[in-house]
């Protein structure tokens, strides 16, 4: 069963009309708004600037203070662009989105679809992560479904749900993941997981060094791949120009090779690929996220 958007109070209607009116502006105009958002969040409000700078210093200890400051500024500029690009999903047609997000090697997924297999796609908060699933629905021959954590605010949950599903993508609430996979076991699709979330000690995470820091990762990919024999693909999204991205797919697991209990080779491979991408494109990762807030509990 596909979840439906939550109802929200009537007094959110003016905000909805404003957002939809803004979404109808050309992207070149919205990027002017993005420039204003950048100046406001970085210079005026300083939105999570301490978190961003701490994350960058710890991740790149070899870089100078000036280099860290430059990456931070470029990140805030990119973050502002992601905001307006996400808003633009309210009116972008599938054809327009397909022009802006290019899948360089969709055959990595298509070969499994032709064999009647469901695939796990592991992505992250890099590039424009909101355009990954929505563009996948326009490029791929099978369904593109994304596991997500519903927002607590009913208006923004409803609004974002509409944006994320306009091109045909489907959403799976995180709490319903296992139930959904069992119910749709025979469906051919890619199920997308944002796998760079910070897992705490209570989640029994896989601990490893990521960006020079000890980090806990959810082990869902290894557990689900072993249980359902899913092939697993890493999804890299790379910004090529303002408003244009390239998706590069890398197979991490074929769905059939044995996975030793208590080991997490898929998650580890995901971490290594993600770290490589972040080092290549440091401006494009979500540094406002408190990714390293959890500490490993020593036994």
């Amino acid at each position: 069963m596909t979840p439906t958007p939550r109802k929200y109070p009537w007094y959110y209607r003016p905000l909805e009309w404003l957002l939809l009116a803004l979404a109808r502006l050309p992207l070149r105009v919205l990027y002017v708004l993005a420039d204003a958002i950048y100046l406001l969040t970085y210079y005026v409000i300083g939105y999570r600037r301490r978190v961003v700078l701490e994350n960058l210093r710890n991740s790149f200890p070899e870089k100078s203070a000036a280099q860290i400051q430059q990456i931070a500024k470029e990140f805030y500029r990119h973050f502002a662009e992601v905001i307006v690009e996400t808003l633009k999903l309210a009116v972008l047609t599938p054809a327009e989105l397909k022009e802006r997000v290019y899948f360089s090697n969709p055959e990595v997924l298509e070969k499994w679809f032709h064999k009647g297999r469901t695939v796990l796609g592991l992505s992250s908060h890099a590039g424009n992560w909101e355009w990954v699933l929505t563009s996948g629905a326009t490029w791929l021959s099978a369904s593109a479904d994304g596991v997500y954590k519903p927002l607590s605010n009913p208006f923004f949950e409803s609004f974002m749900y509409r944006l994320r599903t306009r091109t045909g993508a489907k959403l799976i609430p995180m709490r319903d993941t296992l139930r959904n996979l069992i119910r749709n076991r025979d469906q051919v699709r890619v199920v997308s997981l944002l796998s760079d979330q910070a897992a705490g000690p209570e989640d029994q995470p896989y601990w490893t060094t990521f960006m020079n820091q000890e980090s806990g990762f959810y082990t869902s990919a290894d557990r689900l791949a072993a249980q359902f024999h899913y092939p697993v693909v890493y999804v890299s999204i790379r910004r090529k120009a303002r408003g244009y991205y390239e998706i590069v797919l890398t197979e991490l697991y074929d769905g059939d090779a044995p996975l030793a209990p208590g080991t997490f080779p898929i998650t580890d491979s995901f971490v290594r690929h993600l770290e490589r991408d972040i080092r290549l494109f440091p401006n494009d990762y979500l540094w406002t996220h408190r990714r390293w807030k959890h500490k490993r509990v020593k036994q």
Side-chain angles (χ1 to χ4, degrees), residues 19-37 77-93 95-101 128 131 163 239 241-245:
L19 292 176
L20 292 176
L22 288 173
R24 294 187 179 281
L25 295 173
L27 263 174
R28 65 179 182 277
V29 177
L30 286 176
Y31 284 133
V32 175
L33 175 61
D35 290 339
I37 293 173
R77 190 181 299 278
H78 170 67
F79 183 54
E81 292 175 2
V82 169
I83 291 173
V84 300
E85 289 170 359
T86 300
L87 179 60
K88 192 64 179 176
L89 281 175
V91 296
L92 276 179
T93 67
E96 290 171 331
L97 187 59
K98 193 171 183 179
E99 288 181 359
R100 291 186 169 275
V101 183
N128 186 332
W131 278 13
L163 265 55
R239 181 161 55 105
R242 206 177 206 187
Y244 291 90
Y245 298 87

Side-chain angles (χ1 to χ4, degrees), residues 5-30:
R6 291 165 57 188
K7 294 182 179 179
Y8 52 87
W10 63 268
Y11 49 77
Y12 280 105
R13 288 295 182 186
L15 176 59
E16 178 185 18
W17 297 333
L18 173 62
L19 292 176
L20 292 176
L22 288 173
R24 294 187 179 281
L25 295 173
L27 263 174
R28 65 179 182 277
V29 177
L30 286 176

Side-chain angles (χ1 to χ4, degrees), residues 30-61:
L30 286 176
Y31 284 133
V32 175
L33 175 61
D35 290 339
I37 293 173
Y38 157 65
L39 295 173
L40 183 66
T41 55
Y42 184 77
Y43 288 102
V44 181
I45 300 175
Y47 172 68
R48 292 197 173 184
R49 188 161 61 187
R50 181 179 300 177
V51 173
V52 170
L53 292 175
E54 181 182 1
N55 284 343
L56 288 172
R57 291 190 197 103
N58 292 338
S59 297
F60 302 101

Side-chain angles (χ1 to χ4, degrees), residues 136-154:
T138 71
W139 272 93
L140 304 174
S141 63
S143 177
D145 299 359
V147 175
Y148 83 115
K149 184 177 181 179
L151 301 173
S152 58
N153 181 284

Side-chain angles (χ1 to χ4, degrees), residues 67-273:
Q67 289 174 314
I68 294 295
Q69 198 74 32
Q70 185 60 35
I71 294 174
K73 289 181 180 180
E74 292 303 317
F75 157 71
Y76 275 96
R77 190 181 299 278
H78 170 67
F79 183 54
E81 292 175 2
V82 169
I83 291 173
V84 300
E85 289 170 359
T86 300
L87 179 60
K88 192 64 179 176
L89 281 175
V91 296
L92 276 179
T93 67
E96 290 171 331
L97 187 59
K98 193 171 183 179
E99 288 181 359
R100 291 186 169 275
V101 183
Y102 174 69
F103 274 64
S104 64
N105 55 344
E107 64 274 7
V108 173
L109 285 171
E110 294 293 344
K111 71 174 184 179
W112 294 112
F113 298 157
H114 295 156
K115 295 178 180 179
R117 303 282 291 272
T118 290
V119 184
L120 289 182
L122 307 187
S123 58
S124 67
H125 291 88
N128 186 332
W129 56 93
E130 292 291 352
W131 278 13
V132 176
L133 186 69
T134 50
S135 60
T138 71
W139 272 93
L140 304 174
S141 63
S143 177
D145 299 359
V147 175
Y148 83 115
K149 184 177 181 179
L151 301 173
S152 58
N153 181 284
F155 167 71
F156 286 106
E157 165 60 17
S158 177
F159 190 77
M160 290 303 298
Y161 182 95
R162 288 162 56 191
L163 265 55
R164 290 165 170 166
T165 59
R166 276 193 70 250
T167 60
K170 300 175 184 176
L171 296 179
I172 305 169
M174 188 180 297
R175 65 180 180 275
D176 297 334
T177 302
L178 187 58
R179 186 183 303 111
N180 182 284
L181 295 178
I182 293 173
R183 184 188 303 120
N184 300 285
R185 195 171 192 135
D186 298 327
Q187 183 180 348
V188 178
R189 57 179 174 165
V190 58
V191 178
S192 176
L193 304 174
L194 276 171
S195 298
D196 62 331
Q197 306 277 12
E202 70 280 0
D203 301 305
Q204 297 182 318
Y206 169 65
W207 290 96
T208 186
T209 301
F210 168 59
M211 297 305 298
N212 200 49
Q213 301 160 81
E214 192 171 44
S215 312
F217 285 82
Y218 288 101
T219 58
S220 307
D222 292 85
R223 291 185 286 104
L224 294 175
Q227 180 175 351
F228 293 97
H229 299 285
Y230 288 153
V232 182
V233 168
Y234 172 69
V235 182
S236 173
I237 179 165
R238 304 171 182 181
R239 181 161 55 105
K240 309 304 290 185
R242 206 177 206 187
Y244 291 90
Y245 298 87
E246 179 185 17
I247 302 290
V248 181
L249 306 172
T250 304
E251 185 175 304
L252 303 183
Y253 175 62
D254 66 1
D256 297 316
L259 294 171
T263 65
F264 307 101
I266 297 172
T267 300
D268 188 75
S269 183
F270 164 79
V271 173
R272 302 308 144 217
H273 281 80

